[in-house]
Amino acid sequence: GAALLLAWRALYGPVLRHTPLGFADVLQRGATLHLGDLAAASLLLGGASQLYLGTLNLVPLPPLDGGRLLFAYAPKTAGWQKAEHYLVERNIGLVAVLVLLLLPLGGSSPALPALLDIVLKPLLTLLLGA
């Protein structure tokens, strides 16, 4: 993802003038960036989507890679084993991820994409030079 964004910056300039509120809105709703070039849009949206997916995978819930890391390094006490059973065996972690991705909490935007925008905004600003 970072390589695609750096390629976009090298080819199309360091400043993104028409920056939307967040790339999560663009990726989720399909809003246009008015780049005028299919290659520019492909590089920009491809790189941003890869960064968002990578960051989403680090959320510590069991269907995601962050959940596997959490329970791999967690102590093997009865409480952690019970939590792992509820989150993995009963698929409650998957339900939690779906709720965070789809349910708007306190606004019109879903909670998890809005949080990913907050986390990734400094990295996207650094890579794009915006």
Side-chain angles (χ1 to χ4, degrees):
L4 289 174
L5 292 176
L6 288 174
W8 182 86
R9 183 177 177 178
L11 292 173
Y12 297 103
V15 179
L16 181 63
R17 297 190 191 281
H18 302 290
T19 306
L21 293 175
F23 276 101
D25 291 331
V26 174
L27 295 173
Q28 187 177 17
R29 293 187 179 91
T32 60
L33 289 174
H34 304 292
L35 295 173
D37 187 7
L38 182 62
S42 297
L43 284 174
L44 186 62
L45 294 177
S49 66
Q50 291 301 313
L51 288 179
Y52 275 83
L53 286 173
T55 306
L56 177 66
N57 269 333
L58 294 177
V59 173
L61 287 171
L64 305 173
D65 294 336
R68 290 188 187 129
L69 287 173
L70 175 70
F71 288 115
Y73 292 113
K76 301 299 179 198
T77 61
W80 277 101
Q81 288 177 349
K82 187 176 180 180
E84 185 177 12
H85 171 73
Y86 276 105
L87 290 173
V88 175
E89 299 297 326
R90 294 189 177 185
N91 288 328
I92 294 176
L94 181 63
V95 171
V97 170
L98 289 174
V99 165
L100 287 173
L101 282 173
L102 299 175
L103 186 67
L105 299 175
S108 62
S109 178
L112 197 54
L115 290 174
L116 288 175
D117 267 343
I118 293 169
V119 169
L120 286 175
K121 187 166 180 77
L123 179 62
L124 288 170
T125 302
L126 177 71
L127 290 173
L128 295 174

